[in-house]
Amino acid sequence: QVELVESGGGSVQAGGCLSLSCVASDYIDSSLCMAWFRHAPGKDREWVAVLFPADGVTKYTNSVKGRFTVSQDNANNTVYLQMNRLKPEDTAIYYCAAGDSGPIWSVSAYKYWGQGTQVTVSS
């Protein structure tokens, strides 16, 4: 059983930045996608970004393109989410996830989940 632990959340003003980390307790097969989701109050959990460790390809939801960057450090079993030019609408609990069982934007595609880290952006 792989455990994922996120860190790096916090409170910032609009326009600021945060860097989230997701550390896996064990090696994650490179065939699994590593994704970030977020869950804002009153909304469904939303896919934010995904990284394919085997080749480093990344994809993003439209609302964060050009502002967020996902990257990996394979030596340390860590995935990062660099968030720049944050907006109040980015406020949510951010989760990392690993899996390969469906569309990259689907919650059900991911077997492993972290506990989440809160990101709050004030205007």
Side-chain angles (χ1 to χ4, degrees), residues 1-22:
Q1 181 73 12
V2 174
E3 294 186 356
L4 303 176
V5 179
E6 304 96 335
S7 63
S11 298
V12 296
Q13 290 190 327
C17 59
L18 284 172
S19 181
L20 306 184
S21 299
C22 171

PDB file of all heavy atoms in Angstrom, residues 1-22:
ATOM      1  N   GLN A   1       0.839  -1.185   0.000  1.00  0.00           N
ATOM      2  CA  GLN A   1       0.000   0.000   0.000  1.00  0.00           C
ATOM      3  C   GLN A   1       0.879   1.242   0.000  1.00  0.00           C
ATOM      4  O   GLN A   1       1.696   1.431   0.890  1.00  0.00           O
ATOM      5  CB  GLN A   1      -0.903   0.022   1.236  1.00  0.00           C
ATOM      6  CG  GLN A   1      -1.839   1.206   1.318  1.00  0.00           C
ATOM      7  CD  GLN A   1      -2.977   1.124   0.330  1.00  0.00           C
ATOM      8  OE1 GLN A   1      -3.208   0.083  -0.279  1.00  0.00           O
ATOM      9  NE2 GLN A   1      -3.687   2.220   0.155  1.00  0.00           N
ATOM     10  N   VAL A   2       0.710   2.093  -1.005  1.00  0.00           N
ATOM     11  CA  VAL A   2       1.494   3.313  -1.105  1.00  0.00           C
ATOM     12  C   VAL A   2       0.742   4.442  -0.418  1.00  0.00           C
ATOM     13  O   VAL A   2      -0.454   4.612  -0.628  1.00  0.00           O
ATOM     14  CB  VAL A   2       1.753   3.676  -2.573  1.00  0.00           C
ATOM     15  CG1 VAL A   2       2.453   5.019  -2.674  1.00  0.00           C
ATOM     16  CG2 VAL A   2       2.567   2.588  -3.261  1.00  0.00           C
ATOM     17  N   GLU A   3       1.420   5.189   0.390  1.00  0.00           N
ATOM     18  CA  GLU A   3       0.830   6.368   1.024  1.00  0.00           C
ATOM     19  C   GLU A   3       1.383   7.628   0.363  1.00  0.00           C
ATOM     20  O   GLU A   3       2.572   7.712   0.063  1.00  0.00           O
ATOM     21  CB  GLU A   3       1.127   6.378   2.519  1.00  0.00           C
ATOM     22  CG  GLU A   3       0.458   5.243   3.272  1.00  0.00           C
ATOM     23  CD  GLU A   3       0.646   5.349   4.772  1.00  0.00           C
ATOM     24  OE1 GLU A   3       1.365   6.257   5.222  1.00  0.00           O
ATOM     25  OE2 GLU A   3       0.079   4.525   5.499  1.00  0.00           O
ATOM     26  N   LEU A   4       0.504   8.575   0.167  1.00  0.00           N
ATOM     27  CA  LEU A   4       0.895   9.857  -0.405  1.00  0.00           C
ATOM     28  C   LEU A   4       0.663  10.939   0.643  1.00  0.00           C
ATOM     29  O   LEU A   4      -0.399  10.982   1.280  1.00  0.00           O
ATOM     30  CB  LEU A   4       0.066  10.172  -1.655  1.00  0.00           C
ATOM     31  CG  LEU A   4       0.111   9.141  -2.783  1.00  0.00           C
ATOM     32  CD1 LEU A   4      -0.838   9.543  -3.913  1.00  0.00           C
ATOM     33  CD2 LEU A   4       1.524   8.994  -3.313  1.00  0.00           C
ATOM     34  N   VAL A   5       1.631  11.807   0.816  1.00  0.00           N
ATOM     35  CA  VAL A   5       1.525  12.869   1.815  1.00  0.00           C
ATOM     36  C   VAL A   5       1.816  14.202   1.150  1.00  0.00           C
ATOM     37  O   VAL A   5       2.926  14.424   0.646  1.00  0.00           O
ATOM     38  CB  VAL A   5       2.494  12.636   2.981  1.00  0.00           C
ATOM     39  CG1 VAL A   5       2.370  13.779   3.998  1.00  0.00           C
ATOM     40  CG2 VAL A   5       2.220  11.298   3.654  1.00  0.00           C
ATOM     41  N   GLU A   6       0.813  15.083   1.166  1.00  0.00           N
ATOM     42  CA  GLU A   6       0.983  16.421   0.600  1.00  0.00           C
ATOM     43  C   GLU A   6       1.449  17.388   1.681  1.00  0.00           C
ATOM     44  O   GLU A   6       1.159  17.220   2.862  1.00  0.00           O
ATOM     45  CB  GLU A   6      -0.333  16.962   0.013  1.00  0.00           C
ATOM     46  CG  GLU A   6      -0.987  16.098  -1.034  1.00  0.00           C
ATOM     47  CD  GLU A   6      -2.055  15.225  -0.458  1.00  0.00           C
ATOM     48  OE1 GLU A   6      -1.996  14.923   0.760  1.00  0.00           O
ATOM     49  OE2 GLU A   6      -2.976  14.816  -1.200  1.00  0.00           O
ATOM     50  N   SER A   7       2.129  18.420   1.228  1.00  0.00           N
ATOM     51  CA  SER A   7       2.515  19.518   2.107  1.00  0.00           C
ATOM     52  C   SER A   7       2.693  20.769   1.267  1.00  0.00           C
ATOM     53  O   SER A   7       2.718  20.702   0.039  1.00  0.00           O
ATOM     54  CB  SER A   7       3.803  19.194   2.870  1.00  0.00           C
ATOM     55  OG  SER A   7       4.879  19.019   1.964  1.00  0.00           O
ATOM     56  N   GLY A   8       2.812  21.901   1.957  1.00  0.00           N
ATOM     57  CA  GLY A   8       3.090  23.143   1.255  1.00  0.00           C
ATOM     58  C   GLY A   8       1.915  24.083   1.118  1.00  0.00           C
ATOM     59  O   GLY A   8       2.056  25.196   0.604  1.00  0.00           O
ATOM     60  N   GLY A   9       0.730  23.664   1.575  1.00  0.00           N
ATOM     61  CA  GLY A   9      -0.416  24.553   1.492  1.00  0.00           C
ATOM     62  C   GLY A   9      -0.263  25.731   2.443  1.00  0.00           C
ATOM     63  O   GLY A   9       0.638  25.780   3.270  1.00  0.00           O
ATOM     64  N   GLY A  10      -1.156  26.679   2.305  1.00  0.00           N
ATOM     65  CA  GLY A  10      -1.123  27.849   3.169  1.00  0.00           C
ATOM     66  C   GLY A  10      -2.042  28.931   2.655  1.00  0.00           C
ATOM     67  O   GLY A  10      -2.897  28.678   1.793  1.00  0.00           O
ATOM     68  N   SER A  11      -1.859  30.117   3.193  1.00  0.00           N
ATOM     69  CA  SER A  11      -2.683  31.266   2.808  1.00  0.00           C
ATOM     70  C   SER A  11      -1.814  32.319   2.136  1.00  0.00           C
ATOM     71  O   SER A  11      -0.752  32.670   2.659  1.00  0.00           O
ATOM     72  CB  SER A  11      -3.347  31.868   4.051  1.00  0.00           C
ATOM     73  OG  SER A  11      -4.213  30.941   4.664  1.00  0.00           O
ATOM     74  N   VAL A  12      -2.280  32.797   0.999  1.00  0.00           N
ATOM     75  CA  VAL A  12      -1.558  33.826   0.262  1.00  0.00           C
ATOM     76  C   VAL A  12      -2.550  34.831  -0.294  1.00  0.00           C
ATOM     77  O   VAL A  12      -3.753  34.549  -0.394  1.00  0.00           O
ATOM     78  CB  VAL A  12      -0.717  33.238  -0.896  1.00  0.00           C
ATOM     79  CG1 VAL A  12       0.370  32.331  -0.372  1.00  0.00           C
ATOM     80  CG2 VAL A  12      -1.604  32.517  -1.890  1.00  0.00           C
ATOM     81  N   GLN A  13      -2.044  35.966  -0.696  1.00  0.00           N
ATOM     82  CA  GLN A  13      -2.881  36.940  -1.371  1.00  0.00           C
ATOM     83  C   GLN A  13      -2.905  36.647  -2.868  1.00  0.00           C
ATOM     84  O   GLN A  13      -1.995  36.003  -3.404  1.00  0.00           O
ATOM     85  CB  GLN A  13      -2.353  38.351  -1.107  1.00  0.00           C
ATOM     86  CG  GLN A  13      -2.543  38.810   0.329  1.00  0.00           C
ATOM     87  CD  GLN A  13      -2.242  40.287   0.512  1.00  0.00           C
ATOM     88  OE1 GLN A  13      -1.374  40.834  -0.159  1.00  0.00           O
ATOM     89  NE2 GLN A  13      -2.968  40.944   1.419  1.00  0.00           N
ATOM     90  N   ALA A  14      -3.941  37.130  -3.514  1.00  0.00           N
ATOM     91  CA  ALA A  14      -4.048  36.963  -4.956  1.00  0.00           C
ATOM     92  C   ALA A  14      -2.778  37.493  -5.635  1.00  0.00           C
ATOM     93  O   ALA A  14      -2.250  38.532  -5.250  1.00  0.00           O
ATOM     94  CB  ALA A  14      -5.269  37.707  -5.473  1.00  0.00           C
ATOM     95  N   GLY A  15      -2.328  36.732  -6.614  1.00  0.00           N
ATOM     96  CA  GLY A  15      -1.097  37.070  -7.299  1.00  0.00           C
ATOM     97  C   GLY A  15       0.133  36.390  -6.725  1.00  0.00           C
ATOM     98  O   GLY A  15       1.201  36.398  -7.342  1.00  0.00           O
ATOM     99  N   GLY A  16      -0.018  35.810  -5.553  1.00  0.00           N
ATOM    100  CA  GLY A  16       1.096  35.139  -4.907  1.00  0.00           C
ATOM    101  C   GLY A  16       1.307  33.734  -5.447  1.00  0.00           C
ATOM    102  O   GLY A  16       0.667  33.301  -6.406  1.00  0.00           O
ATOM    103  N   CYS A  17       2.220  33.003  -4.812  1.00  0.00           N
ATOM    104  CA  CYS A  17       2.528  31.658  -5.267  1.00  0.00           C
ATOM    105  C   CYS A  17       2.726  30.718  -4.091  1.00  0.00           C
ATOM    106  O   CYS A  17       3.021  31.145  -2.975  1.00  0.00           O
ATOM    107  CB  CYS A  17       3.767  31.660  -6.157  1.00  0.00           C
ATOM    108  SG  CYS A  17       5.246  32.305  -5.369  1.00  0.00           S
ATOM    109  N   LEU A  18       2.537  29.452  -4.368  1.00  0.00           N
ATOM    110  CA  LEU A  18       2.777  28.384  -3.414  1.00  0.00           C
ATOM    111  C   LEU A  18       3.324  27.181  -4.163  1.00  0.00           C
ATOM    112  O   LEU A  18       3.023  26.997  -5.359  1.00  0.00           O
ATOM    113  CB  LEU A  18       1.484  27.968  -2.700  1.00  0.00           C
ATOM    114  CG  LEU A  18       0.936  28.869  -1.608  1.00  0.00           C
ATOM    115  CD1 LEU A  18      -0.449  28.395  -1.171  1.00  0.00           C
ATOM    116  CD2 LEU A  18       1.878  28.918  -0.415  1.00  0.00           C
ATOM    117  N   SER A  19       4.075  26.363  -3.465  1.00  0.00           N
ATOM    118  CA  SER A  19       4.578  25.126  -4.050  1.00  0.00           C
ATOM    119  C   SER A  19       4.142  23.972  -3.177  1.00  0.00           C
ATOM    120  O   SER A  19       4.481  23.921  -1.991  1.00  0.00           O
ATOM    121  CB  SER A  19       6.103  25.166  -4.146  1.00  0.00           C
ATOM    122  OG  SER A  19       6.584  23.975  -4.733  1.00  0.00           O
ATOM    123  N   LEU A  20       3.388  23.066  -3.753  1.00  0.00           N
ATOM    124  CA  LEU A  20       2.925  21.889  -3.041  1.00  0.00           C
ATOM    125  C   LEU A  20       3.832  20.706  -3.358  1.00  0.00           C
ATOM    126  O   LEU A  20       4.359  20.587  -4.472  1.00  0.00           O
ATOM    127  CB  LEU A  20       1.496  21.539  -3.450  1.00  0.00           C
ATOM    128  CG  LEU A  20       0.452  22.644  -3.321  1.00  0.00           C
ATOM    129  CD1 LEU A  20      -0.928  22.093  -3.671  1.00  0.00           C
ATOM    130  CD2 LEU A  20       0.455  23.251  -1.938  1.00  0.00           C
ATOM    131  N   SER A  21       4.004  19.844  -2.360  1.00  0.00           N
ATOM    132  CA  SER A  21       4.782  18.625  -2.543  1.00  0.00           C
ATOM    133  C   SER A  21       3.925  17.422  -2.221  1.00  0.00           C
ATOM    134  O   SER A  21       3.045  17.491  -1.356  1.00  0.00           O
ATOM    135  CB  SER A  21       6.003  18.627  -1.622  1.00  0.00           C
ATOM    136  OG  SER A  21       6.859  19.703  -1.893  1.00  0.00           O
ATOM    137  N   CYS A  22       4.194  16.333  -2.904  1.00  0.00           N
ATOM    138  CA  CYS A  22       3.510  15.066  -2.646  1.00  0.00           C
ATOM    139  C   CYS A  22       4.579  13.989  -2.592  1.00  0.00           C
ATOM    140  O   CYS A  22       5.211  13.683  -3.613  1.00  0.00           O
ATOM    141  CB  CYS A  22       2.500  14.776  -3.739  1.00  0.00           C
ATOM    142  SG  CYS A  22       1.770  13.132  -3.663  1.00  0.00           S
TER     143      CYS A  22
END
